[in-house]
């Protein structure tokens, strides 16, 4: 046998001793891993690898339909948010219309089972009971049941997961960010209305040049905070840069410059960036201006 430089070959006796010691060590390790009575794992040596739970394909499919993953073009969740926002005003005049929303939610998740059905029932029942109460509708309970459904969908839907809590910076799908800006009702934001974010922003810094209303600075701050969070979260550099341009007039207003150039050009840039990222953003002429008559409705 050739011995590498700097090393000494073991003698036959030392080699046999080493092998015997190794065998004994392995034998003792095997005994420590098993209970003498049952042969099962000892409590002193718990397993650190958990078996993954099997996903419910029907639930995953329903969650994708409801939340719109992965393209977020026309998800049912957007309709649900819109109707929840209008319920306190319009619910008493047509409670059947809102009850149908509950039926539609049930139909989407009819193949799901277990915990999912409890969450679905809580959300759909809200539409059958609360809208008819009008201004007395329990909006806070809507937020609870909304998050309840997000909880059962979070493992299969990015939109549901981000509804529950913010993820790591730079990991929110660009398409979801774009949908949140262009198409998602502001039901659960500070604005608490059915208007999308662009519409609510127009009333603050304008679509075309205008002076930022001095009595709306709390809303300007809330919008700036929302945009800052989306900028940090988005996973696409192009969308991030375009959102930064959209945020600029809000930052200017907070620093004392209330003469806004408006959002027409920044939103066109954001639309182009969203299209490049795979989200079909509305054309400039299709962006919702909101209802001027309801400008202050629903604001916190």
């Amino acid at each position: 046998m050739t011995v590498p430089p700097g090393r000494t070959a073991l003698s036959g006796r030392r080699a046999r001793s080493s092998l015997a010691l190794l065998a004994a060590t392995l034998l003792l390790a095997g005994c420590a891993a098993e209970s003498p009575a049952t042969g099962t794992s000892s409590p002193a040596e718990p397993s650190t690898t958990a078996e993954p739970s099997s996903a419910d394909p029907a639930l995953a499919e329903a969650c994708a339909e409801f939340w719109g993953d992965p393209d977020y073009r026309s998800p049912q969740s957007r309709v649900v948010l819109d109707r929840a926002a209008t319920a306190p005003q319009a619910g008493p005049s047509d409670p059947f219309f809102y009850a149908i929303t509950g039926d539609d939610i049930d139909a989407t998740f009819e193949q799901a089972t277990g915990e999912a059905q409890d969450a679905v029932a809580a959300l759909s029942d809200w539409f059958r009971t609360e809208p008819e109460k009008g201004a007395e509708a329990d909006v806070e309970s809507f937020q609870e049941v909304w998050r309840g459904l997000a909880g059962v969908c979070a493992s299969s839907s990015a939109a549901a997961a981000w509804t529950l809590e913010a993820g790591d910076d730079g990991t929110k799908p660009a398409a979801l960010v774009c949908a949140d800006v262009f198409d998602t009702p502001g039901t659960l934001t500070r604005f608490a209305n059915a208007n999308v974010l662009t519409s609510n922003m127009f009333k603050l810094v304008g679509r075309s040049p205008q002076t930022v209303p001095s009595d709306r600075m709390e809303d300007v701050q809330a919008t700036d905070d929302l945009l800052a969070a989306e900028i940090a979260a988005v996973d696409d550099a192009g969308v991030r840069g375009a959102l930064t341009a959209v945020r600029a007039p809000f930052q200017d207003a907070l620093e004392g410059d209330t003469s806004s150039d408006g959002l027409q050009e920044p939103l066109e840039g954001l639309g182009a960036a969203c299209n490049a990222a795979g989200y079909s953003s509305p054309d400039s002429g299709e962006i919702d201006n909101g209802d001027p008559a309801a400008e202050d409705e629903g604001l916190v």
Side-chain angles (χ1 to χ4, degrees):
M1 178 179 66
T2 302
V3 182
R7 296 180 60 185
T8 304
L10 290 173
S11 67
R13 179 182 300 174
R14 289 179 60 195
R16 287 190 295 272
S17 297
S18 296
L19 291 172
L21 178 60
L22 176 60
T25 301
L26 292 174
L27 178 61
L28 289 172
C31 292
E34 293 188 353
S35 166
T38 65
T40 58
S41 296
S42 166
E45 297 290 340
S47 171
T48 58
T49 303
E51 287 293 324
S53 58
S54 58
D56 178 356
L59 176 60
E61 182 178 353
C63 289
E65 178 179 348
F66 184 84
W67 296 100
D69 301 275
D71 56 21
Y72 311 104
R73 297 186 194 279
S74 56
Q76 186 179 27
S77 58
R78 195 175 295 159
V79 175
V80 171
L81 284 175
D82 177 89
R83 294 182 182 174
T86 61
Q89 290 79 37
S93 64
D94 193 356
F96 180 70
F97 171 76
Y98 291 89
I100 289 176
T101 303
D103 295 343
D104 292 342
I105 295 169
D106 286 342
T108 298
F109 288 90
E110 64 181 347
Q111 299 301 321
T113 59
E115 179 187 2
Q117 283 298 335
D118 294 336
V120 170
L123 181 59
S124 59
D125 286 348
W126 188 93
F127 282 96
R128 298 187 183 100
T129 59
E130 295 300 324
E132 64 185 19
K133 300 177 184 177
E136 302 301 317
D138 190 347
V139 178
E140 289 187 4
S141 69
F142 172 77
Q143 297 185 41
E144 294 175 5
V145 296
W146 177 257
R147 289 177 58 82
L149 184 56
V152 300
C153 286
S155 63
S156 60
S157 164
W162 282 87
T163 293
L164 286 180
E165 61 181 348
D168 294 335
D169 287 351
T171 63
K172 186 173 182 180
L176 178 56
V177 170
C178 294
D180 284 347
V181 173
F182 282 115
D183 294 311
T184 301
T187 308
L188 301 179
T189 69
R190 175 180 173 83
F191 297 102
N193 59 30
N195 293 337
V196 298
L197 181 60
T198 52
S199 172
N200 285 314
M201 291 194 297
F202 290 154
K203 296 165 186 173
L204 300 174
V205 301
R207 183 169 190 159
S208 55
Q210 73 169 44
T211 299
V212 180
S214 59
D215 61 346
R216 300 289 297 277
M217 296 309 293
E218 290 186 1
D219 295 320
V220 170
Q221 181 66 70
T223 306
D224 181 73
D225 292 343
L226 187 157
L227 290 171
E230 296 287 11
I231 288 167
V234 70
D235 66 358
D236 181 87
V239 173
R240 185 180 306 114
L243 276 172
T244 300
V246 171
R247 184 188 177 198
F250 294 92
Q251 292 183 292
D252 291 343
L254 292 171
E255 292 171 359
D257 182 2
T258 58
S259 180
S260 170
D261 291 333
L263 291 175
Q264 181 70 40
E265 186 174 339
L267 284 177
E268 289 177 355
L270 178 60
C274 287
N275 288 336
Y279 183 77
S280 181
S281 61
D283 293 334
S284 176
E286 297 175 337
I287 296 176
D288 183 14
N289 280 306
D291 179 7
E295 180 171 337
D296 294 318
E297 288 184 9
L299 293 175
V300 176

